[in-house]
Amino acid sequence: MISPDAARNVVGIIGNVISFGLFLAPVPTFWRICKRKDVEEFKADPYLATLLNCMLWVFYGIPVVHPNSILVVTINGIGLLVEGTYLLIFFLYSPNKKRLRMCAVLGVELVFMLAVILGVLLGAHTHEKRSMIVGILCVFFGSIMYFSPLTIMGKVIKTKSVEYMPFFLSLVCFLNGVCWTAYALIRFDIYVTIPNGLGALFGAIQLILYACYYRTTPKKTKAAKGVEMPSVVVSGPGAATAAAAGGGNTGGGSVSVTVER
């Protein structure tokens, strides 16, 4: 019979693969930016948010904070590299005003992370306390990212059209949330469970909405300009969001989709 640890590792590896796919979802957007050498109306906000999310989850998963969470570290470490690459491209092709804003936000994020790291390592002396402090921060920021799909879901209900809510992306976000929730439940981890449970819930709602409004969606007359995705990955987690996600989410979780028109 397979042991809980072995089952958890298998589920976590599957979660890493799914979350990695979510982190790569914005590649077409950045390919377009590189070709045109212009960020146009695209915004760096989703990628800055996902970067902070990934940093928090990497810190959460290291042995001095929460032992036996290496798969959380791997996917969010990859997320850091991917999001950093996106932001570098964004910086290269942005006007000075956007560059200054990006630098300011990055500076705030780095100062915040430094404060968290020093505060946790110097002020909390047990794994339980460290996990609780960092875990609460991960849940807070991850949950905010996972509420972002509410905007696009509201638009689907209002317009009775799923034109801007791609089925495949919704399905992958749902699977990502389910996978990381299962990972967290095998050896119960409340801080990974909450954001990824939300990601699975919102992913399921998106799939239900897709089933309800697919037939009432008008034929495409105009292509969308682009899709931005914070991979929220959380989870833990961190992927998706974001866009995944995000998520995440590990990556784990749901991914917010913003359509620039």
Side-chain angles (χ1 to χ4, degrees), residues 4 11 27-28 30 77 119 126 207 224:
V11 174
V27 165
F30 284 90
T126 65
L207 292 175

Side-chain angles (χ1 to χ4, degrees), residues 56-215:
L56 283 168
W57 281 112
V58 167
F59 184 48
Y60 176 83
I62 62 176
V64 294
V65 176
H66 193 80
N68 304 315
S69 298
I70 187 63
L71 292 174
V72 173
V73 176
T74 54
I75 188 56
N76 286 285
I78 291 172
L80 277 176
L81 294 175
V82 173
E83 299 302 320
T85 301
Y86 292 156
L87 289 171
L88 178 60
I89 293 172
F90 207 94
F91 183 85
L92 291 174
Y93 297 114
S94 292
N96 287 336
K97 185 176 180 180
K98 285 188 176 182
R99 289 179 177 178
L100 290 174
R101 184 178 180 278
M102 280 181 60
C103 290
V105 174
L106 277 172
V108 171
E109 289 185 355
L110 292 175
V111 170
F112 173 75
M113 278 304 304
L114 181 61
V116 170
I117 291 170
L118 292 177
V120 169
L121 295 182
L122 299 178
H125 303 293
T126 65
H127 288 136
E128 290 76 12
K129 288 182 179 179
R130 290 173 177 175
S131 296
M132 181 184 70
I133 296 170
V134 183
I136 289 173
L137 290 173
C138 289
V139 169
F140 177 75
F141 287 105
S143 297
I144 289 176
M145 292 182 69
Y146 290 140
F147 278 108
S148 56
L150 292 176
T151 302
I152 191 66
M153 286 190 279
K155 183 172 183 177
V156 168
I157 295 171
K158 183 178 180 180
T159 62
K160 300 186 185 304
S161 168
V162 295
E163 182 179 1
Y164 298 121
M165 191 177 72
F167 172 77
F168 182 72
L169 186 58
S170 298
L171 176 62
V172 174
C173 288
F174 170 70
L175 294 175
N176 190 59
V178 168
C179 190
W180 283 108
T181 300
Y183 172 88
L185 291 175
I186 292 174
R187 286 197 176 279
F188 188 63
D189 186 333
I190 186 66
Y191 306 114
V192 176
T193 301
I194 292 175
N196 288 285
L198 287 173
L201 175 63
F202 289 141
I205 294 173
Q206 289 178 26
L207 292 175
I208 292 170
L209 288 175
Y210 197 94
C212 292
Y213 294 112
Y214 173 74
R215 293 186 179 181

Side-chain angles (χ1 to χ4, degrees), residues 213-227:
Y213 294 112
Y214 173 74
R215 293 186 179 181
T216 60
T217 300
K219 296 291 183 181
K220 238 184 213 180
T221 56
K222 182 165 74 170
K225 228 176 159 183
V227 177

Side-chain angles (χ1 to χ4, degrees), residues 19 22-23 53 57 75-76 146 176 180 196 231-240 244-253:
S19 297
L22 285 176
F23 279 127
N53 204 41
W57 281 112
I75 188 56
N76 286 285
Y146 290 140
N176 190 59
W180 283 108
N196 288 285
S231 20
V232 184
V233 168
V234 195
S235 137
N249 141 297
T250 80

Side-chain angles (χ1 to χ4, degrees), residues 5-22:
D5 285 337
R8 188 170 183 260
N9 286 336
V10 170
V11 174
I13 291 171
I14 295 172
N16 269 241
V17 173
I18 297 174
S19 297
F20 181 64
L22 285 176

